[in-house]
Amino acid sequence: MPPEPFFAGPGLDRADSLRADPDRIRGLAQSGDARELVWENGLPAIGDSGKLQWCPASDPALFLGIDSAGVPSFTALQPEIAGGPAVFSLLGMLDSEDAPLFATALSLARWHLRHRFCANCGSETQIVRGGWSRRCPACSAEHFPRVDPVVIMLAEHDGKLLLGRQHHYPPRRYSALAGFLEVGETIEASVARELREEAGIEVTDVTYVASQPWPFPSSLMVGCTARSLSGELKVDYGELEDARWFTREQVASALGGAIDAAFQAPPPHAIARTLLERWLAS
Ligand SMILES: [Zn+2]
């Protein structure tokens, strides 16, 4: 069986029942047992072993949960969050067991950094529920950390798979097409629309395969497959640099890392790779 998506996994017990009790959360944060995530250059620090780094807690604001050994785990608010290519090279070093927690801490800390004011009335909001919500003292609106769903999909026709290149991809990289789900849309409708817009194909049999969080900044990648009714493409070159069909042999060769492969496969932390691995195994 191909591996699970990189950012999927249990992470840690989020202990939702504790979040409603601020005294309990504060008590945990100030207890000698609690640990606090170490950050470095605007990202959770990753040690030589690929594991996240921790220090004794100093009353941090955001409660991440309880780890498998029963240790309360926190992170402090961050004054800045890094972005750009440096982040993606860091992912190559990250241990997959710690990946869900990395994603949670990064998205949550960034959300607090970017959402300090009420979207309803503009007043400064207050952190509640151990950092899993912000409440407005002026209008009582409650705001929750956002999750932005993105559909990412492989279309199949005649035993071949459709993959595309975005303009910013590394040389020879091809990957699954993707796009944000819009309000009022189902996952199935969104997959069909994205493939129609970017590749000019009509699809049927949209099937969910797997999902994973993608903390840049707070997406949920919803991985699907679909069957194309035709092999004829009409690529939107504004969105994509190229899109084409690849055979099963070409996909196998790319995933195997062959130097003469028809394309360079997406990296292990991308759910596109999981989708390709699952398709090949099917
Ligand atoms: Zn308000």
Side-chain angles (χ1 to χ4, degrees), residues 83-280:
V87 181
F88 295 103
S89 60
L90 196 70
L91 290 182
M93 299 161 54
L94 177 61
D95 180 274
S96 61
E97 253 181 41
D98 274 4
L101 195 45
F102 176 93
T104 303
L106 185 55
S107 283
L108 189 62
R110 191 193 272 107
W111 179 73
H112 283 284
L113 185 61
R114 289 185 176 179
H115 295 83
R116 290 191 297 123
F117 297 91
C118 178
N120 187 45
C121 78
S123 303
E124 186 155 8
T125 53
Q126 296 164 344
I127 295 174
V128 290
R129 295 181 55 76
W132 290 90
S133 172
R134 295 185 73 104
R135 185 171 295 133
C136 178
C139 76
S140 300
E142 194 165 358
H143 305 279
F144 297 92
R146 58 182 298 155
V147 177
D148 302 315
V150 173
V151 288
I152 178 162
M153 56 272 166
L154 300 175
E156 183 176 353
H157 181 71
D158 221 5
K160 294 179 182 173
L161 272 195
L162 177 66
L163 300 175
R165 263 190 69 72
Q166 292 187 15
H167 299 279
H168 64 85
Y169 278 3
R172 299 178 53 249
R173 164 75 48 78
Y174 278 78
S175 189
L177 304 193
F180 283 102
L181 200 92
E182 296 186 346
V183 288
E185 241 181 357
T186 62
I187 291 170
E188 292 85 348
S190 184
V191 166
R193 176 181 55 76
E194 287 291 342
L195 288 169
R196 188 182 306 121
E197 287 173 0
E198 295 189 3
I201 56 173
E202 295 297 328
V203 299
T204 181
D205 297 343
V206 175
T207 305
Y208 169 80
V209 178
S211 68
Q212 78 166 13
W214 185 247
F216 311 102
S218 54
S219 295
L220 174 68
M221 309 301 291
V222 182
C224 295
T225 56
R227 201 156 53 82
S228 177
L229 300 179
S230 132
E232 198 175 318
L233 299 176
K234 198 174 152 206
V235 178
D236 176 356
Y237 290 107
E239 287 279 330
L240 298 173
E241 189 182 287
D242 188 28
R244 61 178 74 171
W245 299 100
F246 292 93
T247 65
R248 186 169 281 268
E249 292 70 31
Q250 287 174 321
V251 171
S253 166
L255 286 176
I259 45 168
D260 61 346
F263 67 98
Q264 187 198 92
H269 54 256
I271 194 172
R273 190 182 183 97
T274 310
L275 294 177
L276 289 171
E277 286 167 342
R278 298 260 175 113
W279 180 76
L280 206 57

Side-chain angles (χ1 to χ4, degrees), residues 14-77:
R14 294 173 175 230
D16 177 72
S17 60
L18 298 178
R19 294 177 186 167
D21 185 346
D23 293 337
R24 184 87 191 279
I25 297 274
R26 199 173 306 115
L28 284 175
Q30 293 169 351
S31 76
D33 299 335
R35 63 177 187 170
E36 178 177 335
L37 194 63
V38 176
W39 291 68
E40 204 172 72
N41 304 321
L43 291 168
I46 297 173
D48 292 338
S49 59
K51 305 298 276 184
L52 294 172
Q53 304 292 293
W54 300 90
C55 63
S58 57
D59 199 15
L62 310 180
F63 175 55
L64 295 171
I66 309 279
D67 82 351
S68 55
V71 178
S73 305
F74 289 83
T75 184
L77 294 168

